[in-house]
């Protein structure tokens, strides 16, 4: 606890107005690529980012692999095959449009990023001759070495390269501003989006952004069930300021959402329950296919999908007999048989067979290029591993040819969470989109993690660029509409209110976040019941009506943290409303009801939910609402093809 | 009065830091504030909010001026494989 004077000038209530053709909300991977696309289409682009665009967002510090680059010259899988596999793997509960865009355009974006200065090839010839390397293109592949659709990348170089490109293109970048609301025509909920409001995270200044079209490129929600007042930065996998502001302001503006009832038992990164991601023993993702040994040094074998033990390390990178391809990477927890890849024996079986705990990840006996590509390239490039894991462990004496790293959970989680400790992870809910990545709100587009069933770097980059193109197209044929004065004044009152409350009796952002998380664990935990969900909802409404008016913030930094928690509260309400609307247990949505009804008419339907005039409105949409992937993609993208 | 935080994510080497504030400007969570004393390293005003991404270290122009340290509870253990094998024989 320090007693320093706030170091920045306080500019509460001061107002700045900025106009643009295309407004990009959020400067992560999706936001940067959206702004680049719109600027290349000749539009005047404004990008607003809460942190610092150079390194902001979940992928700002790095990334080690790029999934679904189906159109790269070495790939043996088509975009259609890959998207269909992703849809099938989730019984249809996946975003066919956005993942088809990822499969179809992801490789184009990689080449784009390379031109900007990002490293995507082994240009130093460090891995010449390795089985995962194509010596012609110098591309390095991960997981399925035969089908070659996932590339290993030097992701720590990507974000600064995008930042440079934004500047080169003349994009107006406004850093350190939290976007707080969407502005709609005449202030009417559900009407055309005409811009947004924001507040400076250091000075508290108020911003009005006025644009022809807007793109939400903000994160998926977080800190709904998980919170630690001491270590809020370690609560979730994604950065602490990425908590789903976009979802909350979209809901208030009348945008449609889907799959918001889906949550999973937390996997990692909550303070206290887990170890640094990819920094403890595991054999998934960054660490695939490390050997796993027990505490006597005995190796736990890998098996293919049929249970055949794989004797050779090389077999860990090949599809099983009769299998076209397998998938690994983010969000593949319990894969379907068709795409199931090699895996160490299930945890229960290991114990049954007498393997002794704890287990360790062991790179010592791997072929040298496999060891070097995991400990070195992958661990050196993944999001939060370069400095705290690769550099620090090396400095402390970790030698991958000698040491083995302890596992703390079964598989890739490195954690032990309780059932009610949940996360929006593994293709969670988000904005409902059409083939332009547009929403039900005219002029409002969505990309990256804000979309429903989103995941991974390539998905963010590909959908960002795509939404940027379509938002630019919209801006070219639509006039700039003025914002509604009353809507702005109401928002100003809302965001500054906590500053005027009583500090002595005040409730801070941490206290409120903790209360919301406890409420969600109690009333909207692993198993849902109508009765409990309804009580949970009324608790949240009580917070909204009685507690928010008592909240207090000492400075602009605390104020934006508090506004984030207001957004967390809104998102929690969406989750409970969506859970109430889904009456049956659904394995594909990790949704369990203790009072599931017999009727399964909604089984293959997405529940699409929005708010209108203070009421919740739901409708059901078939999971395959997007129609034929190739045909519809081509219909909407003639100018790109 | 001061209180020890639950974690101390950023440790500066004052003899190496040149006080350029680049770490502060690149931090997406904005956990730092500038030092009131010009030329000195930034103050970690919100240590609990650190995401442990390491961008401050990557941005730092002087090697070794910043150390990023996970809280003690996140310390992962490793051991020499030969020691495990030896234990097994015993």
């Amino acid at each position: 606890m320090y007693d320093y004077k706030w170091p920045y000038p306080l500019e509460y209530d001061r107002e700045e107005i900025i106009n643009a053709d295309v407004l990009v909300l959020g400067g992560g991977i999706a936001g940067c690529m959206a702004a680049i696309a719109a600027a290349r289409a000749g539009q005047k682009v404004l990008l607003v980012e809460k942190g610092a665009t150079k390194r902001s967002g979940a992928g700002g510090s790095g990334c080690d692999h790029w999934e679904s680059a189906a159109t790269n010259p070495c790939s043996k899988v088509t975009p259609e095959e890959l998207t269909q596999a992703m849809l099938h793997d989730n019984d249809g509960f996946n975003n066919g449009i956005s993942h088809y865009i990822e499969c179809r355009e992801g490789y184009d974006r990689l080449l784009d990023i390379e031109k900007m200065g990002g490293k995507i090839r082994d240009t130093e010839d460090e891995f010449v001759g390795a089985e995962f390397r194509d010596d012609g293109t110098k591309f390095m592949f991960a997981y399925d070495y035969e089908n070659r659709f996932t590339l290993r990348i030097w992701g720590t170089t990507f974000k600064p390269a995008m930042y440079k490109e934004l500047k080169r293109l003349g994009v107006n970048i406004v850093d350190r501003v939290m976007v707080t609301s969407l502005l709609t025509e005449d202030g009417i909920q559900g009407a055309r989006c005409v811009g947004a409001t924001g507040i400076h995270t250091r000075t508290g200044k108020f911003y009005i952004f006025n644009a022809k079209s807007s793109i939400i490129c903000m994160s998926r929600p977080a800190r709904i069930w998980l919170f630690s007042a001491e270590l809020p930065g370690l609560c979730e996998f994604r950065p602490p300021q990425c908590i789903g502001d976009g979802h909350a302001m979209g809901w208030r503006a009348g945008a449609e959402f889907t799959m918001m009832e889906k949550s999973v038992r937390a996997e990692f990164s909550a303070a206290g329950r887990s170890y640094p991601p990819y920094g403890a023993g595991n054999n998934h993702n960054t660490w695939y296919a490390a050997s796993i040994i027990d505490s006597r040094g005995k190796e736990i074998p890998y098996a293919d999908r049929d249970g055949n033990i794989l004797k050779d390390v090389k077999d860990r990178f090949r599809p099983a007999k009769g299998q076209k391809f397998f998938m690994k990477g983010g969000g593949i927890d319990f894969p379907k048989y068709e795409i199931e890849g090699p895996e160490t024996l299930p945890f229960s079986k290991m114990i049954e067979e007498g393997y002794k705990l704890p287990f360790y990840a062991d790179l010592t006996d791997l072929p040298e290029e496999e060891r070097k590509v995991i400990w070195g390239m992958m661990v050196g490039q993944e999001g939060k591993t370069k400095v705290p894991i690769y550099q620090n462990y090396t400095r402390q004496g970790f030698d991958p040819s000698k040491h083995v790293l302890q596992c703390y959970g079964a598989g890739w989680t490195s954690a032990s969470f309780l059932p009610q400790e949940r996360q929006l992870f593994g293709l969670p809910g988000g904005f409902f989109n059409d083939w332009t990545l547009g929403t039900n709100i005219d002029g409002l587009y969505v990309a990256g993690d804000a979309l429903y069933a989103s995941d991974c770097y390539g998905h963010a980059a590909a959908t960002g660029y795509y939404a940027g193109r379509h938002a630019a197209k919209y801006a070219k044929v639509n006039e700039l509409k003025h914002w509604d004065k009353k809507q702005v004044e109401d928002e100003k009152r809302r965001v500054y209110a906590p500053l005027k409350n009583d500090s002595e009796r005040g409730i801070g952002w941490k206290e409120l976040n903790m209360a919301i998380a406890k409420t969600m664990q109690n009333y909207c935990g692993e198993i849902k019941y109508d009765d409990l969900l309804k009580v949970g909802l009324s608790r949240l409404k009580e917070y909204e009506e009685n507690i928010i008016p008592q909240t207090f913030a000492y400075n602009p930094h605390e104020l934006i943290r508090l506004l984030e928690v207001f957004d967390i509260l809104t998102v929690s309400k969406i989750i409970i409303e969506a859970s109430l609307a889904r009456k049956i247990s659904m394995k594909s949505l990790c949704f369990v009801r203790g009072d599931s009804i017999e009727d399964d008419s909604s089984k293959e339907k997405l529940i699409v939910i929005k708010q209108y005039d203070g009421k919740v409105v739901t409708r059901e949409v078939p999971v395959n609402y997007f129609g034929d992937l190739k045909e519809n993609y081509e219909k909407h993208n003639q100018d790109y093809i | 009065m001061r209180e020890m935080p639950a974690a101390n994510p950023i440790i500066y080497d004052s003899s190496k830091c040149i006080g350029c504030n680049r770490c502060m400007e690149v931090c997406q969570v904005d956990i730092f504030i500038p030092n009131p004393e010009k030329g000195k390293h930034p103050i970690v005003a919100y240590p609990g909010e650190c995401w442990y991404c390491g961008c401050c270290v990557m941005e730092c122009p002087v090697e070794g001026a910043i150390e990023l340290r996970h809280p003690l509870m996140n310390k992962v253990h490793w051991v020499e494989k030969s020691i495990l094998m030896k234990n097994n024989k015993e």
Side-chain angles (χ1 to χ4, degrees):
Chain A
M1 211 171 281
Y2 292 92
D3 198 14
Y4 288 105
K5 203 171 156 267
W6 187 247
Y8 307 107
L10 290 176
E11 299 181 300
Y12 298 132
D13 289 316
R14 269 194 57 193
E15 200 174 277
E16 186 173 336
I17 301 161
I18 309 178
N19 293 336
D21 296 322
V22 177
L23 170 64
V24 180
L25 305 170
I29 307 146
C32 287
M33 294 309 285
I36 288 166
R40 284 182 183 168
Q43 299 299 292
K44 191 173 140 193
V45 182
L46 169 63
L47 184 154
V48 187
E49 159 58 36
K50 203 196 277 175
T53 302
K54 188 177 180 185
R55 285 290 186 187
S56 265
S61 45
C63 181
D64 62 358
H65 73 280
W66 183 292
E67 293 175 10
S68 313
T71 61
N72 90 76
C74 305
S75 168
K76 290 189 189 151
V77 180
T78 66
E80 291 76 29
E81 283 174 313
L82 210 49
T83 315
Q84 288 302 347
M86 288 189 228
L87 287 166
H88 173 65
D89 194 45
N90 293 280
D91 300 319
F93 286 86
N94 201 342
N95 197 327
I97 296 171
S98 71
H99 288 289
Y100 187 69
I101 293 167
E102 174 191 13
C103 293
R104 183 100 188 217
E105 297 188 11
Y107 178 63
D108 298 351
R109 300 293 75 80
L110 265 176
L111 295 180
D112 258 351
I113 293 167
E114 184 181 38
K115 275 193 206 123
M116 297 172 202
K119 182 169 152 72
I120 67 167
R121 298 171 212 260
D122 177 28
T123 41
E124 282 84 37
D125 296 330
E126 207 185 330
F127 292 94
V128 172
E131 212 189 332
F132 49 76
R133 186 182 192 264
D134 172 63
D135 289 337
T137 58
K138 303 190 181 200
F139 284 144
M140 307 243 291
F141 298 95
Y143 317 133
D144 186 336
Y145 293 173
E146 279 183 14
N147 289 288
R148 305 192 155 199
F149 51 88
T150 301
L151 275 86
R152 302 181 198 257
I153 52 168
W154 288 260
T156 59
T157 64
F158 282 18
K159 204 69 201 308
M162 289 178 197
Y163 184 61
K164 221 169 73 192
E165 179 69 0
L166 289 167
K167 287 184 141 178
R168 194 186 69 80
L169 290 166
V171 170
N172 184 4
I173 303 167
V174 178
D175 277 345
R176 306 285 176 203
V177 170
M178 174 186 180
V179 181
T180 67
S181 75
L182 296 173
L183 296 171
T184 49
E185 197 171 353
D186 300 321
I188 294 167
Q189 194 176 41
R192 182 183 159 191
C193 181
V194 298
T197 61
I199 184 163
H200 200 280
T201 67
R202 290 178 172 177
T203 68
K205 186 158 105 178
F206 194 83
Y207 286 82
I208 298 165
F209 306 115
N210 190 197
K212 294 172 185 170
S213 62
S214 304
I215 314 169
I216 292 215
C217 300
M218 288 182 262
S219 73
R220 63 180 59 173
R223 296 210 316 260
I224 307 288
W225 292 268
L226 302 171
F227 190 68
S228 155
E230 293 280 22
L231 299 168
L234 278 178
C235 277
E236 294 263 7
F237 189 50
R238 282 169 165 67
Q241 81 285 4
C242 291
I243 48 80
D245 296 322
H247 283 56
M249 69 186 70
W251 178 255
R252 292 196 293 266
E256 285 186 326
F257 291 83
T258 195
M259 280 173 53
M260 290 302 291
E261 65 274 33
K262 181 178 176 181
S263 64
V264 299
R265 186 194 285 214
E267 293 183 328
F268 50 13
S269 226
R273 296 263 187 231
S274 70
Y275 286 81
Y278 311 114
N282 75 101
N283 61 337
H284 278 234
N285 223 308
T286 299
W287 284 76
Y288 189 80
S291 297
I292 299 291
I293 58 170
D294 79 351
S295 60
R296 302 163 303 178
K298 196 174 169 202
E299 188 170 317
I300 292 151
Y302 273 79
D304 70 10
R305 61 177 180 171
D306 298 307
N308 301 309
I309 301 295
L310 304 176
K311 292 206 178 72
D312 196 329
V313 172
K314 283 186 173 173
D315 293 332
R316 298 174 191 175
F317 306 101
R318 288 189 188 122
K321 210 171 162 206
Q323 186 179 33
K324 174 89 203 281
F325 61 94
F326 71 84
M327 287 173 86
K328 285 274 172 192
I332 314 278
D333 277 356
F334 302 101
K336 287 258 183 354
Y337 182 74
E338 287 84 343
I339 57 154
E340 189 177 350
E343 186 55 86
T344 39
L345 296 177
F347 187 74
S348 54
K349 193 144 191 227
M350 296 183 214
I351 301 298
E352 221 172 84
E353 294 196 0
Y355 289 99
K356 288 242 180 278
L357 288 165
F359 298 154
Y360 296 84
D362 175 15
L363 305 179
T364 63
D365 286 338
L366 288 186
E368 200 197 340
E369 67 273 14
E370 290 293 346
R371 179 168 61 244
K372 255 175 66 186
V373 84
I374 293 175
W375 188 265
M377 189 194 162
M378 301 290 271
V379 179
Q381 295 296 325
E382 174 58 358
K384 291 170 44 164
T385 52
K386 184 177 181 142
V387 175
I389 311 300
Y390 183 62
Q391 290 181 7
N392 285 4
Y393 288 17
T394 303
R395 209 184 53 223
Q396 290 156 15
F398 178 77
D399 176 351
S401 65
K402 220 159 71 183
H403 295 111
V404 292
L405 198 59
Q406 192 183 320
C407 304
Y408 294 87
W412 72 309
T413 55
S414 303
S416 51
F417 286 91
L418 305 171
Q420 71 271 25
E421 292 177 324
R422 308 190 70 73
Q423 256 177 335
L424 295 194
F425 218 75
L427 307 170
F431 281 87
F432 184 65
N433 59 280
D434 64 17
W435 266 107
T436 65
L437 292 185
T439 65
N440 61 312
I441 294 183
D442 198 25
L444 182 67
Y445 297 79
V446 184
D449 249 4
L451 287 162
Y452 84 91
S454 67
D455 67 355
C456 295
Y457 208 106
H459 179 267
T463 56
Y465 200 86
Y466 186 100
R469 285 204 314 268
H470 286 273
K473 213 188 279 181
Y474 180 98
K476 274 182 196 163
V477 295
N478 285 282
E479 293 292 307
L480 187 71
K481 289 267 181 177
H482 203 267
W483 70 91
D484 181 71
K485 211 168 164 231
K486 186 179 173 294
Q487 195 174 32
V488 166
E489 289 310 315
D490 287 348
E491 179 62 4
K492 251 188 183 173
R493 246 191 314 279
R494 183 184 80 89
V495 298
Y496 288 130
L499 298 167
K500 294 165 185 118
N501 295 335
D502 180 358
S503 67
E504 302 263 315
R505 301 177 57 87
I507 287 172
W509 69 272
K510 290 178 183 175
E511 188 175 350
L512 182 57
N513 201 155
M514 207 148 46
I516 294 168
K518 195 166 179 176
T519 301
M520 290 300 280
Q521 287 197 17
N522 272 319
Y523 302 103
C524 188
E526 184 189 34
I527 303 171
K528 275 88 173 170
Y529 297 88
D530 252 17
D531 293 341
L532 277 185
L533 290 168
K534 283 177 191 158
V535 177
L537 196 59
S538 67
R539 293 281 181 277
L540 296 177
K541 284 182 178 160
E542 275 168 42
Y543 292 155
E544 207 166 53
E545 284 159 22
N546 305 326
I547 302 303
I548 284 183
Q550 298 179 50
T551 53
F552 180 79
Y554 278 109
N555 58 48
H557 181 91
E558 283 198 351
L559 181 61
I560 61 127
R561 290 284 172 269
L562 188 54
L563 295 172
E564 286 170 357
V565 180
F566 296 174
D567 286 344
I568 288 170
L569 180 50
T570 302
V571 172
S572 302
K573 278 170 55 191
I574 308 175
I575 290 168
I576 294 191
E577 293 287 8
S579 300
L580 280 166
R582 175 74 68 188
K583 298 292 179 200
I584 57 167
S585 294
M586 297 268 299
K587 202 175 164 221
S588 38
L589 291 171
C590 309
F591 186 78
V592 183
R593 259 192 178 267
D595 55 0
S596 193
I597 56 167
E598 292 285 309
D599 176 30
D600 62 356
S601 58
S602 65
K603 221 169 181 177
E604 281 162 15
K605 305 266 174 65
L606 290 165
I607 293 176
V608 175
I609 183 167
K610 70 170 180 178
Q611 184 189 225
Y612 184 71
D613 206 14
K615 288 194 181 67
V616 173
V617 185
T618 61
R619 66 184 174 107
E620 287 183 354
V621 175
V623 286
N624 57 357
Y625 73 95
F626 37 78
D628 184 85
L629 296 168
K630 189 164 186 277
E631 191 185 309
N632 280 297
Y633 171 86
E634 286 174 1
K635 196 168 107 193
H636 288 89
N637 294 283
Q638 275 306 313
D639 49 349
Y640 180 77
I641 302 161
Chain B
M1 206 188 104
R2 295 267 295 268
E3 184 192 14
M4 284 301 285
N8 207 354
I10 311 287
I11 299 134
Y12 285 101
D13 183 337
S14 299
S15 70
K16 288 183 180 163
C17 174
I18 57 167
C20 67
N21 285 347
R22 278 186 226 182
C23 48
M24 184 185 91
E25 292 307 343
V26 85
C27 177
Q28 61 171 316
V29 193
D30 214 10
I31 69 168
F32 306 92
I33 55 168
N35 199 312
E37 267 186 76
K38 268 221 155 76
K40 288 206 161 177
H41 67 72
I43 310 293
V44 186
Y46 298 100
E49 294 175 27
C50 180
W51 187 49
Y52 298 84
C53 66
C55 287
C56 50
V57 180
M58 288 194 249
E59 194 71 5
C60 181
V62 188
E63 212 188 309
I66 309 174
E67 185 195 333
L68 176 71
R69 189 176 75 185
H70 259 280
L72 182 60
M73 63 158 187
N74 272 2
K75 166 116 182 91
V76 173
H77 295 268
W78 60 76
V79 61
E80 265 187 48
K81 191 180 175 185
S82 59
I83 294 175
L84 286 186
M85 306 291 275
K86 210 170 105 197
N87 290 349
N88 187 26
K89 277 183 197 135
E90 283 163 4

